Amino acid sequence: MEDPIIVISELPKSIQQQLPYSIRTKRKEYLLSTLPYPIQYLVKEYYKKKKDVKYNFVLDYNWSISQYGDFKVIDNYYDLVLEYIRAYLLIQKGSYPFDPTFYSKLKEYIQVKDTSIQRTLINNELRRIINIVSSDLNIPITVLELKIIRTDKLFFASQSISVILKINKKKHKLVFSPWFELYLFWFIVFLRQN
């Protein structure tokens, strides 16, 4: 291992004050091995404690698992807005820990048989959630297009919602299936508990 160069001015004041005055004033840089042993110990301990980890700009994290085995980070406002809207639309009554009275009625509205009433109710619920996210993050969000897509399979029928949003003058598409995502969310929560 090579002998590191220690710059006295980069050390914290608490260590600098423990250095003899002759060392502080003679030179600005020293090899670690040329310092007295007690000072070497202090400097080594300082650099052990000093973290060299640099964090990227992170706004929040996503529940999906990244390639490193931890959560995927959200590092831009567009993905943050889409994730918050998706999460808020999946909140069930009484399950939000900080406000048990807050919940989304999307699952109830998607069950409505009359498609015109269903579209109006879903649109109103979506706008309510978007207004909450928009005011929380102080970002202008508008709904440009809303589609309810029905898929009929052999033994079951499913519905998904496709929304085109305008976030800070930029269009983004949010597609999700309320029932599938809710089951997936609770399945992930169940796996983490066991």
Side-chain angles (χ1 to χ4, degrees), residues 6 37 58 68 73 79 81 84 120 134 156 160 169 173 188:
I6 306 299
Y37 288 116
V58 176
Y68 302 110
V73 297
D79 292 342
V81 167
Y84 279 10
T120 304
S134 179
F156 69 95
S160 59
K169 301 177 184 177
K173 188 172 187 177
I188 290 171

Side-chain angles (χ1 to χ4, degrees), residues 1-6 30-35 40 44:
M1 185 175 152
E2 64 183 61
D3 198 15
I5 297 174
I6 306 299
Y30 287 93
L31 289 174
L32 182 61
S33 61
T34 60
L35 293 172
Q40 284 183 28
K44 283 180 185 177

Side-chain angles (χ1 to χ4, degrees), residues 146-157:
L146 169 68
K147 289 182 185 175
I148 301 170
I149 304 162
R150 298 178 193 280
T151 308
D152 293 325
K153 300 287 183 186
L154 185 58
F155 296 109
F156 69 95

Side-chain angles (χ1 to χ4, degrees), residues 11-28:
L11 293 173
K13 293 287 182 193
S14 61
I15 294 178
Q16 286 182 28
Q17 290 173 350
Q18 294 181 30
L19 295 173
Y21 186 74
S22 59
I23 292 176
R24 284 187 283 174
T25 56
K26 189 173 182 183
R27 290 189 286 171
K28 293 182 181 183

Side-chain angles (χ1 to χ4, degrees), residues 17-69:
Q17 290 173 350
Q18 294 181 30
L19 295 173
Y21 186 74
S22 59
I23 292 176
R24 284 187 283 174
T25 56
K26 189 173 182 183
R27 290 189 286 171
K28 293 182 181 183
E29 297 178 352
Y30 287 93
L31 289 174
L32 182 61
S33 61
T34 60
L35 293 172
Y37 288 116
I39 304 302
Q40 284 183 28
Y41 177 77
L42 285 173
V43 172
K44 283 180 185 177
E45 289 299 311
Y46 167 71
Y47 282 113
K48 278 183 189 177
K49 292 179 184 176
K50 185 179 175 185
K51 300 289 183 191
D52 197 25
V53 177
K54 294 183 180 176
Y55 295 100
N56 293 332
F57 181 69
V58 176
L59 295 168
D60 206 344
Y61 64 92
N62 194 335
W63 282 93
S64 56
I65 304 298
S66 74
Q67 64 188 7
Y68 302 110

